[in-house]
Amino acid sequence: MIIIVHDNRNVIKAYVLETSEQIRVNDKRNIAEVLFAVAKRYPTELLIWVYKSLKDHLKTGNLYKIFHHKNILSSYQVSEKCTIPKSIGYVEKTPFTHINKKVNFPTWLMSSYVGGIWAETFLEIAKTVPVIDNFALYLTGLAKHNMALGLFCYSNPDLLSPNDIKCNDIELSRTLLFKFVKQHYKWIWGVNLFLCFIIFEGKWPMMAFLKSLFDKKISKCNYLNPILHKSSTNANNENTVDVVIPTLGRKRYLLDVLKDLAAQTVLPKTVIIVEQNPTTEKTELDYLYNAQWPFNIKHQVIKQTGACNARNVALRLVESKWYFLADDDIRFNQTFLSDAFYTVNTLGAKAVMFSCLQAGQKQTFNTIHQTTIFASGASLVHSESLKTINFDMRFEHGFGEDTDFGMQLRHLGTDIIYTPHLNITHLKAPIGGFRTEHKMPWYKEKIQPKPSPTLMLGYKKYCNEIQLKGIKFLLFVKFFKKQRKKNPITYIRLMTKQWQKSLYWSTKL
């Protein structure tokens, strides 16, 4: 392990932790260049950078656990402010910029104060973004660009022992912020950022915007396949799984799911089926009892409808180390669970989301990466998460319960990894015979809330104030194209009322 100590401008010293061997470095180079030179000399080592006043607080005993996988880039921001200012929220709506600093949290916002990466991985990605003197901005660019390509990026408080040292980062100028947006987003996001500054802050960063027009978007590079590197953690070795399936009026489709589970090379321990039937407590799933199954079946019939409640009922019955959240109209091959366990053990992951597409649907994302979403019908999650979370009933019959559950996982320190090579076919079965449309409490409102109050609830729970403003701006722009009346003043007044209605009902929820 190589420790690189710096003062945010230059490297002060570098040494091998295990032997205390001093490494000679060129102090006229910037920190990124020194990091690259050291990586070339020690290509199999773990590289750790640390600010000079934090060196004695580095938790060296934790580092190999934190970097248990070769494709991990992790850091921790000691100061309250990041190099990238909060105004990035006008264009960035993902959870990656609103960090929970108490847990290992997925983010591309990197810190120069303390962090690390394996040398061989750094050598592979170091030149995917321009090398600059601002080390924090360079690291953030590396993370932003490569996160979608298989680099796992985190904020991890376990890098440092608790201390009272306060450090202050200097936020980017607006010129560099617009430059960053142009490099890492589609060009239209620079326009959106400019307009949001005008609308919400009354500022006109014209020169910064115009200068950014001459910058180029950084092109994609090679995919980093994290499955090639075995995680050093052995926490996930017990491959027992319970399958959670809520169902309503899909007898024939559910039977096919059970047949697929019965054919697995690695069988589930228990299949938990919560059958919703608002008219009777009598089951229509006779084959659960008339046929022989190679796994235990726990079956409950409930009159209350709703996926959130049904899944919560099922989750309370989970006993295995893992639970597979499944739908009642999916199909998968015989090695699906075996392949899934190989993947989570190789990655050292605690939650993975599968590719779940309809027959003939083209797969858009083909790389294993940290995902911004969560699918409650196509995910494998470690059961330790069930100690503190469940599906939030405020989202019942609405939108956003999947996203909320995924965010609860992230705020526990459980990252969610998308695994495109693990495929599920989603049949999109017709609605069951006794399903009825649920009317939400705001359905009689003369002015309908927009967005849906359940979506607004999710935004308020997990987005900061700047992100909420950015979401509002995008919503107004998006729906303007769909309006018959094109008077912008009338439209803005109406949408403002709908936004306020959404805020009101989300608060009621």
Side-chain angles (χ1 to χ4, degrees):
M1 186 188 304
I2 310 297
I3 308 296
I4 296 171
V5 184
H6 66 85
D7 61 5
N8 262 340
R9 291 179 177 272
N10 303 102
V11 172
I12 298 172
K13 70 174 181 177
Y15 60 94
V16 180
L17 178 66
E18 290 81 1
T19 64
S20 298
E21 174 194 351
Q22 297 293 311
I23 301 172
R24 294 184 64 183
V25 297
N26 185 341
D27 57 8
K28 293 184 180 180
R29 291 183 174 182
N30 63 40
I31 301 171
E33 291 172 333
V34 171
L35 198 67
F36 186 78
V38 172
K40 287 183 69 175
R41 183 175 173 184
Y42 299 91
T44 63
E45 293 290 337
L46 174 60
L47 307 179
I48 302 294
W49 60 86
V50 61
Y51 186 64
K52 59 182 181 180
S53 62
L54 299 172
K55 179 175 70 69
D56 294 335
H57 298 278
L58 191 64
K59 295 174 73 171
T60 55
N62 283 4
L63 296 178
Y64 284 119
K65 293 179 182 178
I66 293 172
F67 298 94
H68 61 89
H69 194 284
K70 288 293 179 69
N71 283 29
I72 291 175
L73 168 61
S74 188
S75 71
Y76 185 69
Q77 182 67 19
V78 178
S79 64
E80 289 301 317
K81 291 184 178 181
C82 293
T83 298
I84 302 292
K86 286 188 176 181
S87 48
I88 192 66
Y90 288 134
V91 299
E92 178 70 36
K93 308 304 180 293
T94 72
F96 296 149
T97 57
H98 196 37
I99 303 169
N100 181 351
K101 296 179 71 172
K102 296 180 180 179
V103 301
N104 187 42
F105 198 84
T107 181
W108 47 261
L109 291 175
M110 290 289 112
S111 171
S112 62
Y113 286 112
V114 64
I117 189 172
W118 286 93
E120 61 187 275
T121 302
F122 182 70
L123 290 173
E124 194 168 350
I125 67 171
K127 296 183 179 179
T128 58
V129 299
V131 176
I132 54 178
D133 289 336
N134 188 324
F135 188 45
L137 182 57
Y138 171 71
L139 292 171
T140 298
L142 275 185
K144 175 62 178 170
H145 181 70
N146 291 284
M147 198 176 193
L149 300 174
L151 184 67
F152 294 178
C153 306
Y154 300 99
S155 164
N156 196 321
D158 287 337
L159 286 163
L160 294 173
S161 58
N163 63 81
D164 296 326
I165 296 176
K166 302 297 182 183
C167 302
N168 293 313
D169 255 350
I170 300 175
E171 291 185 349
L172 291 186
S173 65
R174 289 203 190 102
T175 298
L176 286 178
L177 175 62
F178 274 90
K179 181 183 181 73
F180 181 86
V181 170
K182 182 63 181 297
Q183 287 179 330
H184 296 282
Y185 297 81
K186 293 181 179 179
W187 67 270
I188 191 63
W189 288 107
V191 178
N192 289 356
L193 179 61
F194 177 63
L195 293 174
C196 283
F197 268 118
I198 297 172
I199 295 168
F200 297 114
E201 299 184 23
K203 298 173 181 176
W204 290 73
M206 182 65 74
M207 288 304 298
F209 172 64
L210 292 176
K211 286 180 180 179
S212 72
L213 297 179
F214 297 95
D215 294 308
K216 293 182 179 180
K217 189 177 188 299
I218 297 174
S219 59
K220 294 294 184 184
C221 297
N222 294 333
Y223 164 51
L224 300 170
N225 189 350
I227 211 75
L228 296 178
H229 306 288
K230 175 71 175 176
S231 170
S232 61
T233 181
N234 57 5
N236 302 333
N237 284 343
E238 188 176 336
N239 296 341
T240 60
V241 60
D242 290 348
V243 183
V244 171
I245 309 177
T247 187
L248 200 167
R250 287 178 175 164
K251 178 180 179 179
R252 177 169 63 88
Y253 292 94
L254 178 61
L255 178 59
D256 287 335
V257 177
L258 293 175
K259 288 179 178 178
D260 284 352
L261 289 171
Q264 292 297 298
T265 55
V266 173
L267 289 169
K269 185 176 180 180
T270 303
V271 177
I272 305 168
I273 299 170
V274 177
E275 181 184 357
Q276 305 155 76
N277 192 328
T279 61
T280 178
E281 292 182 357
K282 184 179 179 181
T283 182
E284 67 168 1
L285 307 176
D286 54 309
Y287 50 73
L288 297 182
Y289 304 94
N290 298 338
Q292 295 291 321
W293 300 103
F295 37 71
N296 182 33
I297 291 182
K298 294 180 181 180
H299 173 225
Q300 287 194 17
V301 183
I302 60 175
K303 284 192 173 183
Q304 181 177 337
T305 61
C308 291
N309 177 66
R311 288 194 174 98
N312 286 339
V313 170
L315 289 175
R316 288 194 288 269
L317 301 175
V318 168
E319 295 180 348
S320 294
K321 288 295 183 181
W322 295 85
Y323 57 96
F324 171 23
L325 290 165
D327 274 338
D328 58 1
D329 60 344
I330 58 176
R331 302 301 303 270
F332 38 86
N333 63 35
Q334 293 181 333
T335 63
F336 177 76
L337 287 178
S338 175
D339 294 340
F341 279 126
Y342 173 80
T343 299
V344 294
N345 289 326
T346 300
L347 299 177
K350 293 292 184 69
V352 294
M353 191 183 81
F354 310 123
S355 171
C356 188
L357 303 175
Q358 297 179 57
Q361 187 177 356
K362 186 178 180 181
Q363 187 156 292
T364 304
F365 299 102
N366 298 298
T367 61
I368 299 173
H369 66 277
Q370 295 167 287
T371 179
T372 62
I373 59 178
F374 181 80
S376 58
S379 297
L380 183 69
V381 185
H382 199 276
S383 60
E384 68 180 14
S385 66
L386 295 180
K387 297 175 183 177
T388 54
I389 69 171
N390 56 26
F391 283 88
D392 191 334
M393 290 297 294
R394 292 177 295 179
F395 293 91
E396 191 71 289
H397 300 294
F399 303 98
E401 78 278 3
D402 294 43
T403 300
D404 178 74
F405 194 83
M407 287 306 301
Q408 289 185 64
L409 286 171
R410 293 186 186 94
H411 281 272
L412 285 178
T414 299
D415 194 15
I416 301 164
I417 309 301
Y418 173 65
T419 53
H421 62 291
L422 299 173
N423 305 111
I424 290 175
T425 300
H426 192 191
L427 300 182
K428 278 286 184 180
I431 291 175
F434 46 77
R435 291 178 187 237
T436 57
E437 182 181 355
H438 181 84
K439 292 183 178 179
M440 302 301 279
W442 49 85
Y443 84 99
K444 288 185 178 180
E445 289 279 8
K446 183 177 179 181
I447 296 177
Q448 283 295 298
K450 192 180 293 295
S452 164
T454 53
L455 287 178
M456 180 67 82
L457 175 62
Y459 296 150
K460 288 167 66 177
K461 283 182 71 174
Y462 301 113
C463 295
N464 60 36
E465 184 181 351
I466 299 294
Q467 287 176 308
L468 270 175
K469 290 177 180 178
I471 291 168
K472 183 178 182 180
F473 171 78
L474 282 181
L475 184 75
F476 279 37
V477 171
K478 177 182 177 181
F479 281 95
F480 182 72
K481 302 174 184 177
K482 300 180 180 180
Q483 302 299 311
R484 292 182 180 178
K485 296 181 180 180
K486 298 301 182 182
N487 184 320
I489 297 176
T490 303
Y491 171 73
I492 290 172
R493 286 175 179 171
L494 174 61
M495 286 295 290
T496 300
K497 290 178 181 179
Q498 290 184 292
W499 180 268
Q500 291 300 323
K501 280 291 183 184
S502 183
L503 286 172
Y504 168 79
W505 279 106
S506 68
T507 302
K508 294 279 285 185
L509 288 174

